[in-house]
Amino acid sequence: MDLGLQGRTYLITGGSRGLGLATAQALVAEGARVLLAARDQEGLDQAVRGLVGPPGESGGAFGLPADLADPTAAERLVAAAQARFGRLDGALISVGGPTAGSALSTTDDAWREAFESVFLGALRMARATAAGITRDSGSRTGAEGSIAMVLSTSVRNPFPGLTISNGLRPGLGMVVKDLADELGPRGIRVNGLLPGRIATDRIFTIDARMGSPEMVRRRNEATIPLGRYGEPEEFGRVAAFVLSPAASYITGSMIPIDGGVLRSL
């Protein structure tokens, strides 16, 4: 299937590793160009060097350090993508996971800090991306762009010990619905991606807090219908499709990538 990504440009926040980097690789492999954003320049440089595009193509990626807790970061990233590539077609918005803790032990300061980065950071990035998406008046489907927020299965089912994520992610899920309604008339699609247990450093860190990582992993895998953790590349391929013109009639959706662990409709 041709995803129609050739020559398109996407912003990837949290792009130096994990789910963001896996999505960037899937996009670049299909001929898209990407701006990777993360807080660590060294990590970004390494990520950009590792991205491999179609044979004979180069210069399809660059990295720019940014922290989405900074209110100016979103507009700066959009402007940089437009300046470098001449257009913007969408974004994968991932802001990482907030600190662990229970509802009774998590402090007000931890909630405020996470709200600024996880919630407002993602919302600002979505608004700036929507304002900066290149208008294609000749588009056959009327689809002009796509935004995908990396949320979590905690949108529908709480993650033990991650109360901030459990509190903020469902709210962002409803923001995705609102944005899909508002931006749909402009041909901009907005969706939420709900990764389950994908084999990333973040998940391994969470596992390590709960005991022996190997024992915790085996216990978790017993609850997953496919019987294993997902690989970042499996998430990246789904994300690239959702961002692409091939998914031109999908918007306002919460899309689990979880091996079947969610039991709700």
Side-chain angles (χ1 to χ4, degrees):
M1 177 189 296
D2 180 2
L3 298 183
L5 288 167
Q6 187 72 38
R8 290 181 174 264
T9 297
Y10 295 90
L11 265 166
I12 311 290
T13 70
S16 63
R17 59 181 182 171
L19 304 182
L21 181 56
T23 302
Q25 181 61 76
L27 290 169
V28 169
E30 292 286 333
R33 303 166 301 184
V34 297
L35 185 160
L36 304 183
R39 286 178 287 187
D40 175 35
Q41 181 69 65
E42 183 178 351
L44 284 169
D45 292 342
Q46 182 177 350
V48 168
R49 287 193 298 269
L51 291 174
V52 179
E57 293 192 14
S58 61
F62 80 109
L64 188 66
D67 183 349
L68 293 192
D70 176 0
T72 69
E75 291 186 357
R76 179 165 57 88
L77 289 171
V78 168
Q82 292 170 326
R84 179 66 174 260
F85 296 122
R87 65 178 294 121
L88 180 63
D89 296 282
L92 180 84
I93 302 173
S94 175
V95 293
T99 58
S102 69
L104 294 178
S105 67
T106 301
T107 66
D108 287 0
D109 286 343
W111 277 103
R112 292 188 188 99
E113 180 181 351
F115 183 78
E116 185 68 33
S117 60
V118 174
F119 197 100
L120 283 182
L123 178 57
R124 285 190 291 255
M125 194 70 248
R127 289 193 304 231
T129 300
I133 283 176
T134 303
R135 300 186 68 86
D136 286 336
S137 59
S139 172
R140 182 177 62 84
T141 64
E144 294 184 354
S146 179
I147 298 168
M149 284 195 188
V150 181
L151 302 176
S152 166
T153 53
S154 63
V155 166
R156 295 181 180 170
N157 196 53
F159 239 97
L162 295 178
T163 194
I164 295 179
S165 179
N166 296 336
L168 298 183
R169 303 292 194 192
L172 280 171
M174 294 305 290
V175 169
V176 165
K177 296 282 190 180
D178 278 345
L179 287 170
D181 288 346
E182 293 183 53
L183 296 173
R186 290 173 47 191
I188 298 174
R189 300 178 296 105
V190 187
N191 291 288
L193 303 176
L194 312 185
R197 291 193 176 273
I198 310 293
T200 63
D201 291 343
R202 164 74 173 167
I203 285 295
F204 295 148
T205 299
I206 292 171
D207 286 354
R209 294 195 188 106
M210 303 174 69
S212 163
E214 185 60 33
M215 291 181 62
V216 171
R217 180 166 182 164
R218 288 200 300 268
R219 185 168 66 244
N220 289 333
E221 286 177 336
T223 69
I224 301 171
L226 289 183
R228 61 178 177 84
Y229 282 16
E231 295 299 325
E233 294 78 12
E234 293 177 299
F235 175 92
R237 288 191 291 269
V238 175
F241 169 74
V242 171
L243 287 169
S244 79
S248 58
Y249 205 55
I250 301 174
T251 194
S253 295
M254 299 292 116
I255 302 170
I257 310 164
D258 66 349
V261 75
L262 283 177
R263 312 310 299 162
S264 59
L265 294 175

